[in-house]
Amino acid sequence: MVDKPLFFLSISLITISIIFSYSLSSFAILYYDYNEFHFMLRQLIAGILGILLMWGISRCNPDNFVLKFGFILFFGGIFLMFIMHFLPESLATSAGGAKRWIRFPLFSLAPVEFFKIGFIAFLAWSFSRKFSLIETKTLKEEFITFLPYVFVFLIAVYLIAILQNDLGQIVLLGVTLALMMIFAGSSFKLFANLLALASVLFILVIITSAHRIMRIKAWWAGTQDLILSFFPQSIANSLRVENLPEPYQIQHSLNAIANGGIFGEGLGNGLIKLGFLSEVHTDVILAGITEEIGFIGLFVISLIFLAMIYRILRIANRCKNTMYYLFCSGIGIVLGLSFLINAFGISGLIPIKGIAVPFLSYGGSSMLSTSIMIGLVLSIGKKAKIS
């Protein structure tokens, strides 16, 4: 039987997304001279398609569908992300100087959103064969076992971080890879060693990009006063950096959160959407939501999201099939981390990464890919007790 609470929790988040795609898109509508309901109607269509996808996929037999579909998304995503770089501007939409969407007659497709599902499916299938919660291996044996995944991840780094200039998605996939590996039965020693290597790679990717260096500087400009307040004055003075770029994204996000207070300014009455930050209904939607319905509203949305992750991990915990267990765990990790990365970004705890909030952020690709994730989990959930 399909997990009805998970299904309806997802629908509630989709509904909230449609409401705020209308409420928070005022400036974008005026700037692009769109119809008043432009973004809401597009999100409504994506939401309806997402609900139908969830329902349809949930009715499939996971034994015949999950792995095949996951591999199609994995290899199809790699192919699309590669050829997208060579497509003309008329067929590929750019953001931040890199091509991230493929244009179709009525919509644009972000291949990375669907690649994430395939990536999780590939890891779940492969980890279930290579690692074991029972078998004990030496660190050297574990490292040799893990080497092929380093190669796969480097392909993702090239396609996403380099060609698409999107480090946030790579951070998300890297943490997911590490946590799924632990869930599969690898040792903490291997995790610690790989974390050190990943940190070196992460630093290299940042220092080789002027755009990413500026983002780090902007983040430090907004947070150094708070962080350095915990250090002795002499040390704080030596670590303080002057003449940094203004962290306008974080400042306006924090202002919106402060303006919202406990109960909010009221639906439609927020100020952040009036040109202070462009397209608030996308990457910084949590700040816009908090300003309009306050901490209480954000708390309720967070509870809904937390309940959704709990239902996913509950299904994972009941799966006797190791691949299904790892796949559902991976979906829970990606959705949970996406929410946290976005929330930490708008609150200034980490640099803003541009990671969409699952179901909530405006965007058809994000909406449909998240719906597919939930649909696959619902399909697996039907067999969780007996498989």
Side-chain angles (χ1 to χ4, degrees):
M1 183 177 179
V2 171
D3 191 314
K4 290 182 180 179
L6 176 57
F7 182 69
F8 287 111
L9 286 167
S10 301
I11 291 178
S12 66
L13 290 174
I14 291 173
T15 303
I16 293 169
S17 172
I18 295 168
I19 293 171
F20 280 99
S21 67
Y22 173 74
S23 178
L24 297 176
S25 60
S26 305
F27 180 79
I29 286 172
L30 293 173
Y31 183 83
Y32 294 110
D33 194 25
Y34 287 151
N35 178 277
E36 178 184 0
F37 300 100
H38 174 85
F39 292 104
M40 188 196 76
L41 288 174
R42 291 172 71 91
Q43 194 72 345
L44 176 62
I45 293 171
I48 293 173
L49 289 176
I51 292 170
L52 293 175
L53 268 175
M54 274 192 290
W55 178 79
I57 293 174
S58 70
R59 296 176 63 86
C60 295
N61 182 349
D63 295 336
N64 301 324
F65 185 75
V66 172
L67 187 58
K68 292 179 182 178
F69 188 56
F71 269 63
I72 289 173
L73 294 178
F74 179 70
F75 291 107
I78 289 175
F79 174 73
L80 290 176
M81 286 190 293
F82 179 74
I83 67 166
M84 182 170 57
H85 181 66
F86 302 99
L87 293 176
E89 288 291 336
S90 60
L91 296 177
T93 306
S94 297
K99 296 173 181 176
R100 296 182 183 178
W101 293 273
I102 299 176
R103 290 179 181 173
F104 290 96
L106 297 176
F107 67 98
S108 295
L109 178 73
V112 67
E113 296 292 345
F114 300 92
F115 170 75
K116 288 188 288 190
I117 306 172
F119 184 74
I120 294 169
F122 168 77
L123 292 182
W125 168 78
S126 190
F127 281 173
S128 66
R129 295 155 57 91
K130 298 292 185 179
F131 291 92
S132 172
L133 293 169
I134 300 175
E135 182 184 0
T136 301
K137 293 182 178 180
T138 65
L139 181 60
K140 180 180 179 181
E141 290 173 333
E142 283 191 309
F143 191 77
I144 293 173
T145 302
F146 187 76
L147 277 178
Y149 304 104
V150 174
F151 176 72
V152 172
F153 186 67
L154 288 177
I155 293 176
V157 170
Y158 173 73
L159 292 173
I160 301 172
I162 297 177
L163 292 186
Q164 296 188 37
N165 195 27
D166 191 350
L167 184 60
Q169 297 287 3
I170 283 298
V171 171
L172 177 62
L173 292 177
V175 176
T176 301
L177 169 63
L179 293 178
M180 285 185 66
M181 183 182 65
I182 292 177
F183 285 10
S186 69
S187 67
F188 181 77
K189 286 184 178 180
L190 177 62
F191 173 77
N193 280 272
L194 292 175
L195 181 62
L197 290 174
S199 299
V200 173
L201 178 63
F202 181 74
I203 293 172
L204 287 175
V205 171
I206 289 177
I207 64 176
T208 54
S209 170
H211 169 71
R212 296 188 184 111
I213 292 174
M214 286 299 293
R215 278 201 169 189
I216 295 295
K217 286 182 176 179
W219 168 76
W220 182 247
T223 57
Q224 64 174 339
D225 289 341
L226 174 62
I227 295 174
L228 295 180
S229 66
F230 294 99
F231 290 82
Q233 191 65 37
S234 57
I235 297 177
N237 290 336
S238 63
L239 294 176
R240 187 176 301 279
V241 181
E242 303 294 343
N243 300 319
L244 289 172
E246 183 181 354
Y248 70 94
Q249 282 186 305
I250 295 175
Q251 282 187 352
H252 287 310
S253 295
L254 292 175
N255 287 339
I257 294 170
N259 288 341
I262 300 297
F263 300 105
E265 294 290 323
L267 191 63
N269 294 329
L271 298 177
I272 189 178
K273 64 188 179 185
L274 301 179
F276 293 101
L277 283 179
S278 61
E279 301 184 346
V280 179
H281 54 296
T282 58
D283 294 343
V284 292
I285 191 171
L286 290 179
I289 287 175
T290 306
E291 184 177 28
E292 298 203 346
I293 61 175
F295 174 78
I296 296 297
L298 180 65
F299 181 71
V300 171
I301 290 174
S302 300
L303 285 181
I304 295 173
F305 208 91
L306 185 62
M308 185 180 73
I309 301 299
Y310 167 76
R311 300 300 301 188
I312 293 172
L313 296 180
R314 183 171 180 266
I315 290 173
N317 193 49
R318 294 167 63 184
C319 289
K320 294 183 180 179
N321 183 309
T322 305
M323 195 202 88
Y324 291 163
Y325 159 72
L326 291 174
F327 180 81
C328 292
S329 299
I331 295 297
I333 290 169
V334 163
L335 296 181
L337 282 176
S338 297
F339 184 89
L340 290 176
I341 289 173
N342 191 285
F344 288 169
I346 65 165
S347 59
L349 296 177
I350 62 173
I352 293 178
K353 294 293 184 183
I355 298 291
V357 183
F359 281 133
L360 293 181
S361 292
Y362 173 82
S365 292
S366 176
M367 176 71 75
L368 295 179
S369 66
T370 308
S371 299
I372 290 172
M373 291 180 187
I374 298 299
L376 292 170
V377 172
L378 290 171
S379 175
I380 291 172
K382 294 185 303 182
K383 303 191 69 175
K385 292 181 179 180
I386 59 176
S387 57

